[in-house]
Amino acid sequence: MQTKSSLLTYKTISNQEAGEYLAKAVDLVRGNLDRFTDRFPYSNSEGGFYQPGDNREWTTGFWTGEIWLAYEYAKDPDLKRAGEVQMESFLRRIETGSDVETHDLGFM
């Protein structure tokens, strides 16, 4: 007989475990900065990997948000610099009106 899952059946993690998971997430973001500081992950993966692309479509803001969340946690100056590079790209996009006619503008 299959039991129904609920939030009450999941084990609560400790603060230490939460910190370890956050540190791992920050490491994953750091590990992608070489590919995705001046570029953005394409919205669809190819063979399980996201190719670098231009700042277009509405999904690019998710990666930028991950960078800023990682910076907020780790206070790593490399993350801040990457976030600033990304924000400059969004400013250029707004100034030039490039791909901004979308109801998903808030995600960017």
Side-chain angles (χ1 to χ4, degrees):
M1 179 175 161
Q2 195 173 24
T3 60
K4 186 175 180 181
S5 293
S6 78
L7 291 176
L8 299 177
T9 62
Y10 289 95
K11 176 184 170 267
T12 303
I13 64 172
S14 68
N15 287 340
Q16 179 181 342
E17 288 171 310
E20 291 169 3
Y21 297 140
L22 285 168
K24 177 65 175 171
V26 168
D27 286 344
L28 289 169
V29 172
R30 278 189 192 115
N32 282 287
L33 290 182
D34 286 345
R35 281 186 85 187
F36 300 118
T37 291
D38 297 311
R39 305 288 299 231
F40 294 80
Y42 186 64
S43 59
N44 301 306
S45 66
E46 295 176 13
F49 294 95
Y50 291 90
Q51 299 302 315
D54 295 329
N55 185 357
R56 55 184 157 70
E57 301 183 17
W58 62 276
T59 57
T60 51
F62 289 114
W63 170 243
T64 306
E66 288 181 45
I67 292 171
W68 283 115
L69 287 170
Y71 172 71
E72 183 179 348
Y73 179 77
K75 303 298 188 229
D76 180 335
D78 290 336
L79 292 165
K80 182 178 182 181
R81 185 189 70 75
E84 289 170 343
V85 168
Q86 297 263 305
M87 294 307 298
E88 285 294 322
S89 178
F90 281 103
L91 178 60
R92 282 190 304 279
R93 210 171 145 176
I94 296 297
E95 289 174 342
T96 63
S98 175
D99 201 16
V100 294
E101 298 297 324
T102 173
H103 70 276
D104 291 318
L105 194 59
F107 289 115
M108 295 187 274

